[in-house]
Amino acid sequence: MLILSMFFISIFLYFFYYYCLPFIIWYNEYVKSIYGGNKMKVLVAGGAGYIGSHICVELLQANHEVIVIDDFSNSKPEVLGYIKDITGKDVKFYEFNILDEKKTEQVFIENEIDAVIHCAAFKAVGESVEKPIEYYTNNLTTTLIVAKMMKKYHVNNIVFSSSATVYGDPEVVPLTEDCKLGETTNPYGASKAMMERILTDVQHACPEMSVTLLRYFNPIGAHESGLLGEDPKGIPNNLMPYIMKVAAGELPCLGVFGDDYDTPDGTGVRDYIHVVDLAKGHVLAIEKYNKPGLHVCNLGTGQGYSVLELVHAFERVNGVKVKYEIKPRRAGDIATCYADPTRAKEELGWVATRGIDEMCRDTWNFAKTRMK
Ligand code: UD1
């Protein structure tokens, strides 16, 4: 009798392990994938900034949990409330600079982080020329500390905010990821190239890691709610915030830096990308490049617009006037830069869906909300 029961129990266990268990595991994975089981805890370093705040919104809307470290050096605390207004969800927030290694480590101890999006960096080109020590210390050391903590706490997925500036003055356009990297013309640009190098070396030393270098072209625009956008302190360095402040009457006149470039109207041509499209690219990168290796991907639209085309689009879409005058070329500027975004489409299933009109409309909408 005992032998017979043992026999039936063995048969039962055999069938359970070989037929039922795989089915149960498959079913669990299936349910998880439908109801948000791929949810990750993502640390966004610099998550209160212009690009970081839009990334937080997209991550929360994709059902991920978000932890933010930011020292508000180029952002405002209200942003965290706006993220909640848009998504109905909270981020877990820590206020300090990542240079504080002890505090950074505490965040890794307190949270079971699955992935990091690193966009905490100083980014003003002109200021970087004045303050190279501060720029290199901040941008490089924070990257080293983040990488060190990831290694120590076995966090194996990082997406890094890089820039098309690493291509230097392109020999050909559109730029693919295989184009050779160029001379950077300022400490900000050089720090981006060095941060890419640090993370590339870390990935080689830790092959279990996924390191993604996202090379942004020119992010502009704002969240369609009008709550999040780019509001630089003082005189803006970049074109779109300058246009916005001239249209709003905060600055008298836009200087167009050079009209004698080898471009259709003589002014510089860039690949402007809506910040919400850019943020969506991060969510896809964190999900789809979540496998060991080094991944490099451009985020741009593939379409170039000149300075004057952007100015005129802004005037047309918003029914406002943007006063401008032609000035000499700005040191370090290049004539034309735009992306070949094929890899982002093929590997991430990402394409920019917002055009120049939406970029202008949302920037102005943000400006009006901000002026209220
Ligand atoms: C700049 C940085 C780049 C950085 C990027 C971040 C330089 C040389 N490069 O790119 O490293 O990653 O910002 O977004 O600064 N322009 C004017 N008047 C202005 C401002 C800009 O005519 O007041 C022109 C520029 O000459 C250029 C275009 O507008 O042709 C875009 O300039 P900007 O918005 O500063 O971006 P980039 O120079 O492309």
Side-chain angles (χ1 to χ4, degrees):
M1 187 64 192
L2 184 68
I3 290 173
L4 205 62
S5 347
M6 294 277 282
F7 174 75
F8 281 117
I9 288 171
S10 311
I11 297 272
F12 171 77
L13 286 176
Y14 177 84
F15 274 97
F16 182 76
Y17 277 112
Y18 283 90
Y19 295 101
C20 299
L21 202 58
F23 175 75
I24 291 168
I25 291 169
W26 170 82
Y27 184 73
N28 268 342
E29 291 299 314
Y30 176 71
V31 170
K32 274 206 284 179
S33 71
I34 287 184
Y35 295 104
N38 293 330
K39 179 167 142 172
M40 285 186 252
K41 244 188 206 183
V42 185
L43 169 64
V44 184
Y50 169 48
I51 291 168
S53 58
H54 288 85
I55 293 173
C56 290
V57 165
E58 296 305 321
L59 284 169
L60 291 167
Q61 286 179 339
N63 221 15
H64 296 295
E65 266 180 65
V66 178
I67 301 149
V68 168
I69 304 177
D70 202 298
D71 65 352
F72 296 130
S73 57
N74 193 26
S75 57
K76 294 180 182 148
E78 300 92 271
V79 162
L80 300 169
Y82 298 149
I83 294 172
K84 173 137 197 204
D85 291 345
I86 294 167
T87 63
K89 295 179 187 173
D90 282 308
V91 302
K92 187 168 180 187
F93 181 71
Y94 296 87
E95 183 182 347
F96 64 87
N97 187 307
I98 290 169
L99 288 179
D100 189 329
E101 189 170 335
K102 279 214 175 76
K103 286 189 181 164
T104 305
E105 178 153 20
Q106 200 51 39
V107 175
F108 278 79
I109 293 169
E110 279 174 24
N111 301 280
E112 269 184 42
I113 296 167
D114 297 303
V116 176
I117 296 180
H118 180 30
C119 42
F122 292 163
K123 62 163 195 172
V125 173
E127 187 183 59
S128 78
V129 178
E130 310 289 315
K131 300 180 175 174
I133 299 171
E134 288 85 342
Y135 266 68
Y136 286 123
T137 305
N138 187 69
N139 293 1
L140 302 186
T141 313
T142 52
T143 304
L144 286 166
I145 290 173
V146 166
K148 184 174 166 184
M149 292 309 149
M150 288 180 66
K151 184 163 185 250
K152 188 163 176 186
Y153 293 95
H154 310 289
V155 179
N156 285 329
N157 186 0
I158 180 167
V159 168
F160 172 62
S161 293
S162 190
S163 164
T165 199
V166 300
Y167 293 116
D169 193 352
E171 280 169 10
V172 284
V173 282
L175 282 153
T176 68
E177 293 79 357
D178 300 324
C179 286
K180 82 175 188 342
L181 301 186
E183 276 288 303
T184 46
T185 53
N186 55 74
Y188 156 76
S191 77
K192 284 278 164 187
M194 290 178 196
M195 288 187 270
E196 278 206 358
R197 182 59 201 259
I198 289 170
L199 292 171
T200 302
D201 289 345
V202 169
Q203 200 286 324
H204 288 156
C206 311
E208 69 282 7
M209 256 196 200
S210 163
V211 168
T212 301
L213 311 175
L214 286 186
R215 294 183 180 149
Y216 310 165
F217 281 68
N218 288 57
I220 60 170
H223 194 267
E224 62 181 12
S225 63
L227 294 173
L228 302 175
E230 186 171 24
D231 190 7
K233 293 173 180 163
I235 306 279
N237 299 292
N238 299 116
L239 180 59
M240 189 52 129
Y242 212 110
I243 291 177
M244 180 183 94
K245 291 200 176 196
V246 172
E250 289 173 39
L251 291 170
C253 183
L254 168 75
V256 173
F257 298 143
D259 66 348
D260 56 353
Y261 285 106
D262 184 15
T263 61
D265 65 15
T267 65
V269 169
R270 297 289 184 275
D271 186 339
Y272 296 98
I273 168 176
H274 196 295
V275 65
V276 172
D277 278 331
L278 186 85
K280 288 179 185 293
H282 287 71
V283 178
L284 289 167
I286 211 88
E287 292 171 351
K288 300 214 170 162
Y289 284 144
N290 191 8
K291 47 184 180 264
L294 179 70
H295 316 282
V296 183
C297 191
N298 287 338
L299 289 182
T301 64
Q303 165 90 46
Y305 288 96
S306 75
V307 175
L308 290 183
E309 280 176 319
L310 187 63
V311 168
H312 295 318
F314 196 93
E315 293 183 319
R316 174 178 51 77
V317 169
N318 299 315
V320 291
K321 194 89 201 107
V322 179
K323 196 171 170 234
Y324 68 85
E325 61 182 3
I326 307 297
K327 290 270 177 73
R329 290 182 179 193
R330 180 172 68 179
D333 265 354
I334 54 178
T336 303
C337 177
Y338 57 92
D340 179 338
T342 307
R343 184 178 291 178
K345 185 174 181 189
E346 285 177 359
E347 295 186 356
L348 298 177
W350 178 91
V351 280
T353 59
R354 291 158 183 79
I356 201 81
D357 285 11
E358 283 100 330
M359 299 180 211
C360 292
R361 179 201 64 197
D362 293 339
T363 303
W364 188 232
N365 190 26
F366 169 68
K368 286 188 290 184
T369 313
R370 181 180 145 274
M371 284 187 283
K372 274 181 199 156

